[in-house]
Amino acid sequence: MKKICVIGLGYIGLPTSAIFANAGFEVVGVDVNEKVVQALNTGEIHIEENGLPELFKKVVQEGKFRASLVPEKADVFIIAVPTPIHEDYTANIDYVIDATKSILPYLEKGNAVIVESTIPPRTMDDVVAPIIREHGLDPEKDIYLAHCPERVLPGRILIELIENTRIVGGVTKEAAKKAADVYRAVVKGEVIETEAVTAEMSKLMENTFRDVNIALANELVKISQRIGVDAHKVIELANKHPRVNIHLPGPGVGGHCLAVDPYFIVEKAKEESLLIQTARHINNSMPYFVVEQIQRMTAELVSPKVAIFGLTYKGNTDDVRESPAIKIYELLKQHSRFEVRAYDPHVKQEQVSFPLSTLEEAVDGAHLVVILADHNEFKDMKAEDFATMKTKVIFDTKNCLHLDDESITVYKIGNLHSVKAIQE
Ligand code: SAJ
């Protein structure tokens, strides 16, 4: 098992390729994007990830990694392509199907085929295995077929790829063992062998657990507003219990994992997944809730100027996919009374379809600043940064500001019962 062919060179496929190449494997990376392939072969990468540019340059220079538009024969095939979601919230597994079909001409008896993409339960058994069988190879005897879900956190990918526990679900026991051995060559964490469907479900449940837990925190925010209690304080104190870990409330749940993966379970067991569906509903309601609060705060202003700080789905990333902040911007724009400006030091103009402001432009004359992402830049802001606001009121939905200045009113999402309408 010396040569690996990785299909899909995105956030997962690229760092995975680099790590295997760095461990001495010959790695061929395949992507459909010609520009990406060209750039990669010169050692340049197209994604932002800590430590990856350096590692990648090294493995290209050493001749351990090559990018290509077409697969080639290899001992191991790793599929790491996206699984987006259809408008009806069912998984779009077309890329996984296409990737599987693309390797068929190069597949030989004894090869391992590993799918890392997040997939609905039973996809390995019901979709991937039949494609291989139709091609004339037995997915239970000729090929070692397994699902090994990626579980890394953006920003820490190179560390987590090595240190995290990996779950390897084989279509057969032998496949689990063979695929697990591939990872054991680079992973320092535990590599656990199981069945394909168990690996599929455990990956989905990890993100669903977080989504449901965050929904509980978000529901607590709404309850706290009614009852008159500080939700952040409640969470802090409840979490002092050694077996309680309530997550943090916020303007909603975004990104391509937590806001998507739970639907892959719902799709397969609609009647049974009531809690999961309710959690999705609560988290999806948060942008509307935030806009309602903005309306309460600005109820007595004729044309409120609102500055939005942070457009990404979470702090210290440039990723705006499924971002609740973008939703909040769009909802505010639907109300003609608002003048809305948006500022995000991590986001470039071409990433969004509306104009971005500088910090100074956003703050100047604003009645209200709304913090929607916990970027480090915001955590360090001082009273002087808000000096040119018309009325100094900030709505911190991420509880991340460290401002202590009497001239500024800060409402936190956990502390909304104290809100008073802003007076000009
Ligand atoms: N969020 C909250 N409150 C919290 C924590 C997060 O509102 O207490 C929000 C964030 O602001 C963000 C969303 O949830 O909008 C998701 O953020 P995240 O940091 O929880 O997760 P992701 O989507 O960046 O990455 C997750 C990770 N899964 C887990 O931690 C269980 C990562 O390990 C997975 O590899 C990744 O999903 C994936 O690809 O599935």
Side-chain angles (χ1 to χ4, degrees), residues 1 4 20 25 75-76 78 112 114 176-187 191:
M1 294 279 181
I4 302 184
F20 277 110
F25 288 84
D75 304 303
V76 181
I78 296 180
I114 302 165
K177 162 105 186 45
K178 199 76 165 184
D181 283 343
V182 173
Y183 289 95
R184 287 189 181 112
V186 292
V187 171
V191 182

Side-chain angles (χ1 to χ4, degrees), residues 304-372:
K305 294 195 179 83
V306 179
I308 285 193
F309 276 34
L311 293 167
T312 57
Y313 84 93
K314 67 176 185 180
N316 303 320
T317 159
D318 62 349
D319 196 336
V320 293
R321 283 179 291 180
E322 317 289 331
S323 171
I326 304 273
K327 179 81 187 167
I328 289 166
Y329 179 91
E330 286 164 356
L331 289 173
L332 285 174
K333 286 301 273 186
Q334 284 170 15
H335 297 274
S336 53
R337 57 188 287 266
F338 290 115
E339 188 185 309
V340 192
R341 293 178 205 151
Y343 164 64
D344 191 316
H346 291 258
V347 174
K348 297 191 192 73
Q349 183 59 65
E350 58 267 26
Q351 285 177 263
V352 288
S353 58
F354 47 82
L356 293 179
S357 303
T358 61
L359 172 61
E360 292 73 22
E361 287 164 355
V363 167
D364 192 28
H367 294 98
L368 176 67
V369 165
V370 185
I371 310 279
L372 296 174

Side-chain angles (χ1 to χ4, degrees), residues 150-154 203 206-207 210 214 247-248 252-254 257-258 261 313-314 398:
E150 62 83 7
R151 310 166 82 198
V152 286
L153 200 66
K203 158 72 192 188
E206 290 167 12
N207 284 337
R210 269 177 91 68
I214 297 164
H247 289 5
L248 295 170
V253 168
C257 306
L258 268 65
D261 294 359
Y313 84 93
K314 67 176 185 180
K398 296 296 288 185

